[in-house]
């Protein structure tokens, strides 16, 4: 049961091959026996899950099941889930039981999906390795000494290690795509505004977007069908009809125009990844696509632009964690100043504090024009580069990451080295475009991700491309044997 | 040295929307603490604001009422600072592109002159909650019911030159925002709060002195007191050779004292930047026109109409149109009484005095415009004298019925029977023969004495005009 895609699980549940309760019990048992190795989950919600599974079985018996009713899922612990601890990987929220439900998880629950628990992440989604979590690092099932990527590392590992058939992640600068690449799964960051941010704890509000982390593109399409759509509670969500993302999966790729940005294949890219990506592109040529070199000239500038804008937004988004209303409060505060200072000094980890300080600095009087305003100008130029490129090609392809998963501890003393690992993913968030990572090979035994970037609201096209690739290749079926 | 005071005001006006500016919580005043604070108001992790269009409509209405430019592309920014009653750690407000641009308010001063105060801009923002420092055993309580209440902050140019001008301006602003229905005007509930920026300079100087800001004054009286106090303080310092420190001050209305809250150096760096959770507010001409169509008659237009249609003085027209309720009441009285001048005098005189003495709102007072109109009609048709009318008015406030009922029941009808009056005149002359002779000989001043005596024995009910006439005829006879 546990090696099935959610498409297969949905079919099995529909045919009565197994019940949601049986399925859920198996996954919970697997998490219980194996997660000690990985630390992918912060909270496993056994009781909630079994109750939801029972409800799903009853719903199916009543003939009211939807496609995904009864299918389990793991949720990144950044989505507020009512009555369940929602920690965001931080000591600050270690005691926080969300009193309300995020729109994305509500939609999953309305569809009858069964949440197994909340997955580990870099604290407040700030990181590329899931090492900065208050709950300790998550380990990559392909090699337990390596990181799973981040910040949605827990969700990626839950899927890669078979502890959940699919998971929900969020992506601010690569946090779905990069861990998907490191763990050999399929991850989709939708267009900014496609999935509601209501109830998703904000890191960089203008960049954050929730999306599926799945075994296949087809599974990702099923999840996107469920979570996408306008939400009156999120002013930045797009009031645009949701298409059926599975409808185009089988369309042929004949005539597809692929652009390869030369900046994505320069120095800094490991040869192993370069070769895997080039092979994948050749596969698309076999499927009828044409390939041309393009240029995204400001790719390198996306790093400084991102590392101004995201921390600037984060610095104010995280001001609410002040010990007054919920979350961590320091012991015996002397006065208000002391309460603020110690609550935040003790409640936040190093990387979060670093980004709050960077963001605060960038927004300060006298520095705003030099940093924040300039970064916004860069952002517009980066977006324009994509618009220009996508006028000429249908999709852009390249590596998701410059290297494969690194060893735990290797980069977390050198934040800039860590930031450089996001070079191919950041610009997609700055532009607000959809991006997907597909498993496309291995380098030294670790998975390699192919990134596919499409135009605004072209998720159906991306998933079609993913599905066709996965129909022609079997990289996505490889499982770690950790 | 002669000093000139320079004042600029910042006024926070709570908009009377049913729900908050970025959440669906009620804005009603006076609920139990934190019962009107939902997930958004509490700034729970993951919440997002959604802009309340009603707040936009009211802000635009204000802009139109002060003849201001309306920002067709305004946007919200975050103003960052930590305070326990500011749940998100930032206030969502507008800085670079406010909804209301330059406008002006014309104010009638006590000396009869009209003064134009320029409005620099007005922006939309959310109110903070309240910190409660009593009753918590050394701790502070936080009430977030008010957090997220929509405000417009109106910022004037430094055009005001005295406390009296500031008060006149503030009252005019109160008239405008209540007349157009964007604010309930309840000062005691904090619906309008004033920050005053005060500086002084030698008379004739063109450069501005260093200013201080006294924050959060919630009555006209406190504002006036605070300005006087601050002007005196600044002049004292300057005349002693000192210099003014730019600072924020707090005025205590109970002790009539003020203290420094923070200096410029200690001021926050608010790190404003556009709020990424909200879209820019884009409106077009047709939206503005639709709001313009819903505006009631504006106070200045009402004043002009009162002068034109009722032949009132500038002053009377301004006083009567200061509140919508008074203006409506006056028009009702004028209509049913058939004499606008008398209606104005009674509304501004006895009626206002009665309201003030009993601390009554017009809406809650027992006298209807029709009843006061009837009273005026009875004065006009000589049924009663102006003096007796005051007695009738008193009875009306006591709920003794309509003027006609009271006049009837108390027998207050004016005596117009010539024979009866003549008998009384004769009685008075007989009792004061010496004086009557003196008057006959040319001492005209005694006329008042005789009229007064006749009125006295008639218990005020004789028609004074007739009394006068009959005495005149006796003098000739």
């Amino acid at each position: 049961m546990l090696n099935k895609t959610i498409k297969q699980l949905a079919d099995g549940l529909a045919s009565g091959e197994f019940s949601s309760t049986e399925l859920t019990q198996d996954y919970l048992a697997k998490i219980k026996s194996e997660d000690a190795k990985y630390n992918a989950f912060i909270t496993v919600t056994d009781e909630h899950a079994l109750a939801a599974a029972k409800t799903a079985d009853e719903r199916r018996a009543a003939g009211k099941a939807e496609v995904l009713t009864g299918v389990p899922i793991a949720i990144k612990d950044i989505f507020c889930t009512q009555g369940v601890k929602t920690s965001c990987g931080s000591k600050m929220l270690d005691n926080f039981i969300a009193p309300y439900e995020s729109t994305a998880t509500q939609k999953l629950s309305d569809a009858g999906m069964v949440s197994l628990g909340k997955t580990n992440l870099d604290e407040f989604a700030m990181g590329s390795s899931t090492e900065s979590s208050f709950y300790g690092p998550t380990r990559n099932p392909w090699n337990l000494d390596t990181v799973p990527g981040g910040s949605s590392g827990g969700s990626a590992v839950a899927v890669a290690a078979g502890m959940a058939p699919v998971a929900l992640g969020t992506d601010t600068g690569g946090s779905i795509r990069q861990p998907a690449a490191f763990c050999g799964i399929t991850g989709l960051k939708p267009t900014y505004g496609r999935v509601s941010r209501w109830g998703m704890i904000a890191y960089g509000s203008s960049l954050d977007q929730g999306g599926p982390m799945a075994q296949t593109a087809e599974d990702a399409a099923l999840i996107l069908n469920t979570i996408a759509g306008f939400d009156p509670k999120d002013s930045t969500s797009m009031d645009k009809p949701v298409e059926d993302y599975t409808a185009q999966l089988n369309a042929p790729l004949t005539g597809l125009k692929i652009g390869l940005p030369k900046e994505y294949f320069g120095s800094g890219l490991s040869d192993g990844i370069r070769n895997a990506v080039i092979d994948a592109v050749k596969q698309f040529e076999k499927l009828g696509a044409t390939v041309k070199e393009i240029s995204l000239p400001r790719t390198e500038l996306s790093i400084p632009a991102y590392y101004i804008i995201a921390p600037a937004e984060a610095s104010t988004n995280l001001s609410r964690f002040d010990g007054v209303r919920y979350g961590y409060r320091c012991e015996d505060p002397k006065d208000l100043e002391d309460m603020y200072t110690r609550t935040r000094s003790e409640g936040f980890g190093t990387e979060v504090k670093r980004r709050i300080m960077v963001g605060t600095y960038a927004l300060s009087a006298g520095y705003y024009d030099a940093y924040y305003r300039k970064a916004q100008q860069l952002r517009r130029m980066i977006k324009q580069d994509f618009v220009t490129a996508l006028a000429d090609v249908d999709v852009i392809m390249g590596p998701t990451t410059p290297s494969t998963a690194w060893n735990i501890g290797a980069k977390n003393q050198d934040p800039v080295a860590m930031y450089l690992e996001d070079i191919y993913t950041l610009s997609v968030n700055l532009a607000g475009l959809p991006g997907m990572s597909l498993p496309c090979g291995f380098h030294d035994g670790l998975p390699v991700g192919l990134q596919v970037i499409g135009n605004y609201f072209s998720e159906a096209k991306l998933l079609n491309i993913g599905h066709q690739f996965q129909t022609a290749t079997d990289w996505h079926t490889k499982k770690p044997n950790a | 040295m002669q000093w000139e005071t320079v004042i600029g005001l910042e006024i926070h006006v709570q908009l009377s929307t049913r729900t908050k500016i970025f959440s669906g919580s009620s804005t009603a005043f006076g609920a139990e603490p934190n019962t009107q604070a939902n997930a958004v108001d509490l700034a729970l992790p993951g919440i997002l604001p959604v802009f309340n269009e009603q707040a936009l409509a009211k802000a635009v209405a204000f802009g139109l009422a002060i003849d201001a430019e309306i920002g067709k592309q305004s946007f919200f920014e975050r103003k960052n600072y930590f305070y326990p009653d500011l749940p998100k750690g930032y206030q969502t407000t507008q800085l670079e592109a406010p909804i209301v641009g330059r406008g002006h308010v014309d104010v009638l001063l006590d000396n009869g002159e009209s003064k134009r105060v320029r409005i620099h801009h007005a922006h939309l923002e959310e109110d903070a909650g309240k910190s409660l420092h009593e009753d918590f055993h050394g701790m502070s309580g936080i009430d977030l019911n008010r957090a997220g209440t929509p405000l417009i902050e109106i910022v004037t140019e430094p055009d005001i030159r005295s406390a009296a001008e500031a008060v006149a301006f503030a009252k005019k602003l109160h008239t405008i925002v209540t007349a157009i229905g964007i604010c309930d005007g309840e000062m005691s509930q904090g619906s309008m709060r004033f920050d005053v920026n005060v500086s002084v300079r030698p008379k004739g100087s063109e450069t501005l002195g260093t200013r201080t800001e006294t924050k959060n004054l919630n009555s006209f009286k406190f504002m006036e007191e605070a300005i006087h106090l601050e002007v005196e303080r600044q002049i004292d310092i300057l005349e002693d050779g000192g210099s003014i420190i730019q600072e924020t001050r707090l005025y205590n209305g109970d002790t009539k004292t003020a203290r420094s809250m923070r200096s410029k150096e200690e001021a926050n760096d608010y790190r404003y930047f556009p709020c990424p959770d909200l879209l820019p507010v884009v409106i077009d001409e047709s939206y503005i026109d639709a709001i313009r169509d819903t505006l009631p008659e504006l106070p200045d237009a009402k004043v002009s109409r009162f002068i034109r249609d009722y032949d009132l003085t500038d002053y009377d027209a301004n006083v009567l149109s200061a509140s919508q309720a008074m203006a409506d009441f006056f028009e009702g009285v004028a209509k049913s009484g058939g004499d606008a001048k008398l209606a104005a005098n009674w509304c501004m005189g006895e009626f206002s005095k009665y309201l003030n003495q009993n601390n009554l709102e017009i809406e809650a007072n027992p006298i209807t415009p029709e009843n006061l109109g009837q009273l005026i009609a009875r004065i006009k048709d000589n049924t009663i004298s102006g003096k007796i009318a005051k007695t009738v008015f008193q009875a009306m406030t006591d709920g003794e019925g309509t003027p006609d009922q009271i006049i009837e029941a108390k027998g207050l009808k004016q005596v117009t029977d010539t024979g009866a009056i003549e008998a009384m005149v004769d009685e008075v002359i007989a009792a004061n023969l010496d004086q009557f002779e003196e008057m006959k000989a040319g001492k005209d001043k005694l006329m008042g004495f005789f009229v007064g005596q006749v009125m006295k024995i008639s218990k005020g009910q004789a028609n004074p005009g007739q009394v006068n006439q009959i005495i005149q005829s006796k003098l000739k006879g």
Side-chain angles (χ1 to χ4, degrees), chain A residues 6 166 186-188 212-214 216-225 463:
Chain A
I6 62 169
V166 71
T186 301
L188 174 70
M213 304 183 75
T216 65
E218 184 177 34
D219 282 4
L222 287 167
I223 295 298
L224 190 61
N225 272 353
L463 292 162

Side-chain angles (χ1 to χ4, degrees), chain B residues 381-403:
Chain B
D381 67 13
N382 282 329
T383 307
I384 52 171
S385 66
K387 193 163 177 228
I388 290 293
K390 290 185 182 174
T391 311
V392 178
F393 182 82
Q394 176 66 44
M396 287 161 69
T397 63
D398 291 339
E400 293 179 27
T402 66

Side-chain angles (χ1 to χ4, degrees), chain A residues 25-169:
Chain A
Q25 281 167 341
D26 278 12
Y27 274 110
L28 290 172
K30 170 116 176 174
I31 294 167
K32 193 162 206 167
S33 69
E34 296 198 8
D35 194 41
K37 268 192 302 202
Y38 309 118
N39 193 31
F41 285 85
I42 292 174
T43 306
V44 181
T45 49
D46 306 58
E47 284 179 25
H48 281 87
L50 290 169
K54 184 162 171 279
T55 306
D57 287 332
E58 288 162 1
R59 182 169 165 182
R60 188 169 295 282
K64 290 180 179 157
E66 296 177 31
V67 182
L68 296 178
T69 300
V71 175
I73 187 167
I75 307 293
K76 185 178 184 181
D77 202 17
I78 197 168
F79 289 92
C80 285
T81 44
Q82 190 163 9
V84 175
K85 174 164 124 174
T86 300
S87 74
C88 225
S90 181
K91 178 181 179 183
M92 191 60 92
L93 289 178
D94 184 46
N95 64 1
F96 180 66
I97 310 290
Y100 77 106
E101 188 80 19
S102 80
T103 296
T105 53
Q106 184 64 51
K107 286 184 165 203
L108 294 172
S109 158
D110 290 346
M113 291 195 80
V114 174
S115 170
L116 297 167
K118 308 291 291 288
T119 59
N120 203 5
L121 68 160
D122 281 296
E123 186 181 6
F124 285 104
M126 296 179 191
S128 312
S129 66
T130 318
E131 291 168 284
S132 71
S133 170
F134 174 62
Y135 302 93
T138 296
R139 290 170 185 274
N140 190 325
W142 291 94
N143 177 344
L144 293 176
D145 292 332
T146 66
V147 300
S151 63
S152 312
S155 282
V157 170
V159 174
M163 294 185 290
V166 71
L168 203 55

Side-chain angles (χ1 to χ4, degrees), chain B residues 290-305:
Chain B
I291 299 219
R292 190 180 281 116
D293 289 345
T294 66
L295 284 182
E297 182 181 39
L298 294 173
D300 285 347
K302 200 185 281 292
V303 167
S304 303
R305 183 168 62 81

Side-chain angles (χ1 to χ4, degrees), chain B residues 306-334:
Chain B
F306 280 9
I307 293 170
R308 190 178 67 237
D309 293 0
Y310 298 114
D311 202 22
L312 299 184
T313 64
D314 207 4
Y315 177 80
D316 289 359
N318 270 284
V319 171
L320 290 169
S321 59
S323 85
Q324 186 70 31
M326 179 57 93
D328 291 346
F329 192 88
F330 159 71
E331 292 206 78
V333 176

Side-chain angles (χ1 to χ4, degrees), chain B residues 24 28 31 56 88 133 163 167 187 191 193 200 220 230 232 244 286 308 313-314 344 374 397 407 411 445 459 472:
Chain B
L56 173 66
K88 295 188 293 294
H133 299 296
V167 170
M187 309 276 293
S191 293
R193 311 192 295 267
V200 298
F220 300 131
E230 180 58 14
E232 277 172 39
I244 305 301
S286 68
R308 190 178 67 237
T313 64
D314 207 4
Q374 191 178 75
T397 63
I407 291 164
K445 275 194 291 185
K459 299 196 177 66
Q472 293 284 2

